[in-house]
Structure formats: C-alpha cells, structure tokens
Amino acid sequence: MRKAVIPVLLVLSFYSNAQERKTADTNKTTDIQEVVVTSLGIKKQARSLTYSSQQIGGDELTAVKTPNLLNSINGKVSNVQVNRTNGVGSSVRVIMRGNKSVSNTQPLYVIDGIPIVNGTGKSADIGQYSNMPDPGDVLSSINPDDIESMNFLKGASASALYGSAGGNGAILITTKKGRAGKSTITYSTSLTADRAYSLPKLQHSYLSYDPSVSGQQPGESVQSWGAKGASKDYLKDFLQTGTTWVNSLSFQSGNEKSTNYFSVGNTTNKGVVPMSYFDQYNVSFRNSSKFMDDKLTLDANFIGSLQESKNRQTPGASFSPLTSLYWLPRGVDFDQYGPDNYSYIDKTRFLPAQNWWEVNPDGSFKGNPVTQNPYWILNKNPVTVSNKNAYGALALSYQINPWLSARVRGNYSWNISDSQRDIAAFSAPSLLAGGKNGRILKNVYENSSTYGDVLLIGSPKLNEFISLDFTVGGSINTTRNKITQIDNAYLANPNLFTLNNLQWSTNRSPGDGYHYIYTNMKRQVQSVFASASVGYKNMFYVDMTFRNDWDSSLALTGRTGFDYESVGANAILSSIFKLPETINFWKIRGSYATVGLGLPANISNSMVEFNKAYSYGVDAGTIVYPKSSFITDPNFKELFPKPELNKTFEAGTELRMLNNKLSFDITYYNSNTSNQLLETKIASNLGGIPTGSYYINAGKIQNIGFESSLSYKIFNTEKFGWTTSLNGSVNKNKIVELFPSRLSISEEQLFSLTGGGEYTKLKLGGSFGDLYGIKFKRDEQGRILVNEKGIPLAEDTPSYLGNPNPKFILGFNNTFNIGKLGISFLVDGKFGGQVLSLTEKANDLYGVSQASADARDAGGVSIPNAVYAPGTPNAGQAYTGLTDPKDYYQKVGTTEGYGKGIDEAYMYSATTVRLRQASISYTFDIKSKYMRNATVSLVGTNLFFFYKKAPFDPEQVSGNTPGGVGVDSFGLPVNRSVGLSLKANF
C-alpha cells in the first residue's frame, strides 16, 4: 500500500487551482455540522470521518466529580473498559476494543493535539507478598475542570497518524481556553463522604478456642475453628468515613487578539482506612494570541501538579491492615491493641516493639503467614508516594493563504514518582528480610519526553464538486526514563529511614533486603507522515494516511524503521438518495489500517553478546546479566526482533432521525496484532539454537467485536427535557498464534503476563488474560473425586479456570431537566467473565468467613456431583454425605501462593450491574453585579450494585499492567461516595 499512497498524496497535495476555502455545506443536513478533534489536533467535520469516533464534553466529566478524570468515563463511551486500582490518586487501566498487546495495553494520551507520556511508577502485581502500592500516573493528576472535551479514537484507522504510540488507540484531550470578549470567574467545590462497602462476609459466631476446655485461651490458635460463641466485628469499627474535597478556581478573559485561561485546584482525601490521606494541587494556564493581521497564532499551555499520599493500600496480605482484621482469631480483644496501644518500649533495645496477639514473649510470630497489628502497619510500616508533574506546550500557526497554513509545535513533559516504605525494627521477620534495625523499600521513577513536529495543512477548493484536506509533516519524539530501586535491610542506626543510613558493604548477593538498581533509558522516534481526505459533493469521502517511524528501540536488529498506512471511505446516503423525512442523516463507512509498535527501550541490546554490549545491569555492585536474549542465528531471521503489527478493518454506520432527536452509531471491527514480544525457554538444542531463555517475536492476538451507541432526546423543551443514551459493546478475544511452528514448542506451553503473578497466562486458542490455577480432581464423567472422609482431591498441576474480561459492556445514561432542576443517573453493566478471590481462599482456611460458619451450622459441606475416588472402600459410589467444614476448607483454602489449595472453588461470576453515579442539581439565577448564577448539586458515585455475585468488585485490579486483572489479592473494598457540590459563575 505504501507505493500506492505516496503518489496519490503528492498529486492531491500540490493540485490546488483555487486559492480559497471550500464553501459551507448546504445540503439538508446543515444542522449536523459537528466539528470533532482528530489526530494531530486537526479539526474535521464529523460527517467526513471514515472511522468511529466518540466525543464527550467536559461537563460530563465534572457533573459528578471523581479524583481521577478517567474514572468519570466509565459507562459513557462504548467499548472502553476502565479498571481502577487502589485508592484515590492511583492510576487506572484503560482498554479500548480489547487487549491487543502483551507489551503495552494503554492508549496514547494527547493534549491539544500533542502526544504526552502518561508516566507511571512501578505497578503493583497480584502477588500476595506485594510491598508497594500503585503510584499513580500523569492523567490522574489533571484537573477535570480544565477539560473542554475528550475524543476517543478506538481503532487503528483513527490513530494511525500517531504511529506506533497509537497502536492501542488514542484519547484526545482538549483543554479550555478563554473566549474573546468574555471575562468569567468560575469556582466549583465538591465535598463527599466515602464509605467502604461490599466487604468480605465474615463470621462472628465461632471462636478460635473452646471456653469450656480448661487452659484454652484466645489467640493460642491463629485459626477460628473453635467452639460456638459471639465475637465483636472490629472491621466495621476500624474503617472510618472518608472524605474527598475537590476545589477548583478558574479565570477566563480575552479579546479578538488574545485569550487567557488560568486555573488552580486542590483535592484533599481522607481515606476509609485510618491514617491514609491524599493531597493534590493543580495549576494550569493557556494563552492564545494572534499577530500579523491575525495570520500568526501563538498557543501556549502549562499544566502542573503536586501529589502527596500516605498509606495508600497495597495489594497482597503483607502490608494490608485489613487482612489482620479479617484473620483476627475470634475471641481476641482487638481493643487492647488499638491506636494508643499498638506498641511498647522494648527494654533490651529501648525501641518501640509491636504489641499484638500473634507475637510470642520471645518476639517470634505464631502464624504462617504472619499478621501484624493494623496500627503498627500504618505507623511503623508506612508507605508514602510523592508525585510531581509538569507539562508545557507551545504551538505556532501561520496562515500562508486562505487555504494553506503551517504549524510548528512542541512540548516537554516531566514527571517523577517517589515511593518509599519504611519497615521498623520489631516488624515481622519475613518483612525485615534478615535486618535487625529496619528496612527501606524505595522506588523512584523519573520520566520525561520532548516532542516537536512541523505540519503543513491545506484545504484547497479543487472545483465545485471535489474537496481536499491534506496534512504533511514530520516529528521527533524523545523519551527518557530514569529508574532507581532500593531495598536495604541493613540500617546503621535503627529506625532511621534515610538513604545515608544504609549500609552497602555487606558481603552478600542481591536478594530481598539487598537491592540497588539504577537504570537510565532513552528512546527516540523520528517520523514523517501525510494524510489526505478527498470529498465529492459532500456525499463521498476517502481518507488516506501514511507514516514512517525510525525507532531507536530497533537498534542492532538490522532494521531501523517501519511504515504503516490506512485507507477509509464513507458515503452520506442521506445526500445521495431521497430518503423519508424522518431520516435526517445516514452515513456508512469502512476503513483498513496497519499500525506498528516498537520494542521496549534498550531491550535490543540483547542482540549482542554480553561482553560486547551494555546489555548487563548492576544491582548493589553485582553485575546482573539479562535472563533472556534474542536469537541471533542467521538461519532464524524470521525470529529476529521486529515491531508489532496491528491490522484492523472496521465498518459502521451512523443514523440520525426524527429531527435529529434520535442518533445511532454501530461499528464492526476485526483487529489482528502479530509479532508479539514473548519470552520463553528453549529446553534443548533446537535446530541449532542453544538451550536458554529467549525473546521471540511471534504470536497473533485477534479481537473481533461490535460497538454501538444510541441517543434519544425524548423531550426537548425549556420546561422539560429528557435525553437517554445507551452504549453497548461486544468483544471476542482469541490467541490465534503463539510461538512459531518452526520451534516445535508444545501447544500446551503457557506464557505469563506481566503483573499477573502465576495466575494470568496466554495459551494458543485461549484468550488474553486467561486465569490458571488448581482445579478439583474429577473422573471421566466430570464428577469430583473425594477420599474416604469426603475431602475433595486436587489436581497436581494448574489448568484453565476462566477469563475475567467481560463479554458485553453496557452503559445507560439519563439526564432530565425540569426548568432549572436537573437530574441524571448512569447505570453500567459488565456481563460475563470469571474472577478469582485469594481473599476468600484465605478467609476460608482460617475459618473466619461467613461461608465457613454457615457450613458448621449446616453440619458440614455438601459437595455436588461427587464420587469416592479409586482406592477408597466405596470407590465409584456417589458421595452424598456432608464433609467436615474444617477438613474441607483447609483442603480448598490457603494463604500461600500459586499451586496451593483449590482455586476452582473460588471462581466467581464477574457480571456486575451498578448505579455508577447520580446527581440532582438546581441552578439559581443571581441577578447581582458580579455573580451570574450558581448550581448546587447532590451527587453520588458507586452507590450500589443491582447485581453482583463476586465477593469483591471485579472492576478493581492490582496494578496498571497487562496481567493484573481478575484476581482479588486483598484489595481495598469499593467506596460509596455521597455529597454536595457547588459551581458558581462570576
């Protein structure tokens, strides 16, 4: 396609015999002239687009505020899946049209037409022993009140001009700027009360001991399989009512020559977990000025933020204050270990020591894994996250003549995330990693990017029937990533958590408690691109794009660049044919695109032997070589590293009826992403490839689906209005190909996804994110096998459990206005999928779950469709008895990691239907000298579930990684927020 596109672009770009703008569209759809922002910030009429695009306004993002603006789009945009992580300020995981890549799943974010790097720190995974929380990202720091609109380019055709960065789609953010002849001041504030709900169901009717037996005391056993008796629910008393206060103040002014917008904002959150907080401060400024008879336009923008948080929840059990309360042996009086009594002074070291039921007199811990006093965790194992973000952009545009303009643009973005956990002496020995004076865990991620481009944009009028819009240009984008990871358990002075108190002279190899890694990476992409859109009589449009990237991540691979193209066409049927009057607009469209995706920075160093390249790292003074390398044998050139390639076809139609009150859009797409960068082991000398671990470009991930949106203005008068909208999407994901057939790797070979621990795998014929774990052992008829005591048997090796991704996503939004009274609510549902709960698995083992109490009340556990296993006295006979609850749950449950217990018993439906948000507002017209109006609203988010079977919110993920989905690893419960908001315009 490359050879075909370039000549066409050149001919169309330079063939311009009329030096004036195209005349306005005058057909019968002149009232449908929406202008939308597309790739590179270029505005186009929506009717001319040959791909699916969905835009939402800033008011929709701020009607019910959330601290992270991306959480506000849940349910409002079709086929966009948003997963939250842990707590306010954390990053979110956004997937458009399904998972496409094992390397990078996130879309590209673009501010005012210029791409940015949505930098993050180290993402948490789903392991039970995670030690650091999700640190947040750049998008979580943007003030939603500064957003004018967001446009979602979900397909490759829409984002092709952004090159490899747009391989997973693009989200275009347009910020506010002042308006000519208008000066306004806007103040908005929102205060909500937050309460945790959908907590694990815990029992308080059975104790950890038997009071009737002499000598038995609370806390002697770490499990609660004792006698019947009442115990207090300390969890509800521990969790507090959190508050979130969001303030924003903006100033706008301007005249015909210059406009200005300035805003400051603040978000303060007190979490539902005691001693957890989050503070954020925002500032933004945008100026747009015209010079030289309005031919030259200068647009300057700055966005900055500061974030500070403490005790943000960490996935896993090690540092969760909640698991200590989940597993608290029933009968133990937690009040004696409260916020004023969680420690005492150890007389031997004169240091605070932990006061906790699980600590023996000699300082050892009883349990495995151990728990700690929740207040000790919050005070003596605190984690802090400090983020700083700065973004500046400058754009110059010169109108050469009425139909041709030139633009020069650039931006610089910088962010740093500094996370640190302090682990004091007398914490659990496993957490101290052998240290006696304490331990420091510290991650510092500094990301910066510099972007610049030059564009030539033209819209010549060729004749009365043919229109042309074209863009040609080039760009250069440089990103830098500096990473520092420190883990040191050798403090010179106890409990002094500073870097100059760390000792590195210890004679030991790197491991837990002894890491010091510094990485400095740089990547540059140089590009040229061109696009052309040809229209005929405002009835037919053809789009073509071409881009070539020269990517430094391909250094040493034998190739430095790659190109990709797109072509699309549409037809405005309502302009071609005479249709019934009820049909105001009807368009059909189709497009095809190929988009590349480069390699991770610096990874291609593995093409060269260790002693010839900077392919090794240094950890605490020890050289560490990469565990994997690329195949460099010339006989296997097809396995050499190469860019990912996403080939996408989409087709759709848009329809508007009943005087434009009813609008409908549906799109079908088929996406195939090949050349996945997989890491695998080759166990034997295969065709001349030495035994070892290798990176291999192979595999193909297919996504096929439909997405649709429906909007209907049922009533549209000043006295009463009602608009309803419906978004729905279906996506089917399949691993079409995994490893090359030439390598003769077994089709049963599994590939672990980043962030998924050992649970999330890829397998040929499966789907992205499939969960694997231990299942019940069954006979050939599928019946569960039990031993002579009725205890189920487990398989020896993990196998497929289910897939957490929804099969169908639905959003149902309604807005009403009754005069100055406004009412809105949003219901969204995710249907299908299965998720795994490690929390329930551990709670059952300890006998603290409500399920374990119910089983005891019932006299045992009934196992449906079970038979006695071979080798038992009643082999082959149906088992209809009741299994002892303790025996059963100690078999299926566990607090240990992968491959223990029976995971199948803890798989749940991921289907949820919830009232996502609701608001009731009233606008007061204030006829004063300075204030124009004010709107007061009662708002709520995550109010309740209409349907949910899982014991946790399946939407929550541990971290912003490809594999961190579908496993509950002691995460933070979902919060319900209710409060008031005020918006005043001056």
Side-chain angles (χ1 to χ4, degrees), residues 305-461:
S305 68
L306 299 174
Q307 291 182 344
E308 297 286 342
S309 70
K310 184 175 182 179
N311 287 329
R312 186 178 295 171
Q313 271 293 100
T314 299
S318 296
F319 294 99
S320 171
L322 301 184
T323 57
S324 297
L325 291 169
Y326 295 164
W327 301 344
L328 183 72
R330 302 307 186 248
V332 171
D333 181 11
F334 178 66
D335 291 334
Q336 64 180 308
Y337 305 107
D340 299 322
N341 198 29
Y342 65 86
S343 67
Y344 66 94
I345 298 299
D346 176 74
K347 295 181 180 180
T348 61
R349 302 190 64 190
F350 299 100
L351 294 173
Q354 186 170 178
N355 183 28
W356 188 228
W357 69 268
E358 198 170 9
V359 181
N360 293 314
D362 62 358
S364 63
F365 283 74
K366 299 175 183 178
N368 182 27
V370 301
T371 65
Q372 299 192 107
N373 189 314
Y375 293 103
W376 177 272
I377 295 173
L378 297 171
N379 286 278
K380 298 300 183 181
N381 300 160
V383 60
T384 57
V385 180
S386 175
N387 293 339
K388 300 179 179 66
N389 303 290
Y391 168 84
L394 191 68
L396 278 172
S397 178
Y398 185 76
Q399 195 71 39
I400 300 172
N401 58 42
W403 59 268
L404 184 64
S405 65
R407 295 183 190 176
V408 179
R409 308 180 303 180
N411 73 4
Y412 176 76
S413 60
W414 172 86
N415 64 83
I416 186 169
S417 176
D418 187 342
S419 305
Q420 179 169 319
R421 183 179 293 280
D422 304 333
I423 305 176
F426 289 97
S427 296
S430 61
L431 304 180
L432 286 169
K436 299 298 182 183
N437 292 336
R439 179 184 177 190
I440 287 182
L441 294 161
K442 189 177 184 67
N443 294 327
V444 180
Y445 280 68
E446 183 178 2
N447 307 294
S448 66
S449 71
T450 305
Y451 176 90
D453 64 24
V454 178
L455 306 177
L456 192 65
I457 304 170
S459 300
K461 179 183 176 183

Side-chain angles (χ1 to χ4, degrees), residues 84 196-200 239 272 313 322 326 956 971-975:
R84 64 183 179 90
Y197 76 109
S198 191
L199 296 162
L239 292 171
V272 297
Q313 271 293 100
L322 301 184
Y326 295 164
Q956 178 169 305
L972 186 69
V974 61
N975 288 347

Side-chain angles (χ1 to χ4, degrees), residues 800-814:
Y800 173 76
L801 296 173
N803 186 281
N805 294 303
K807 304 297 186 294
F808 177 57
I809 302 176
L810 181 70
F812 179 51
N813 197 13
N814 285 268

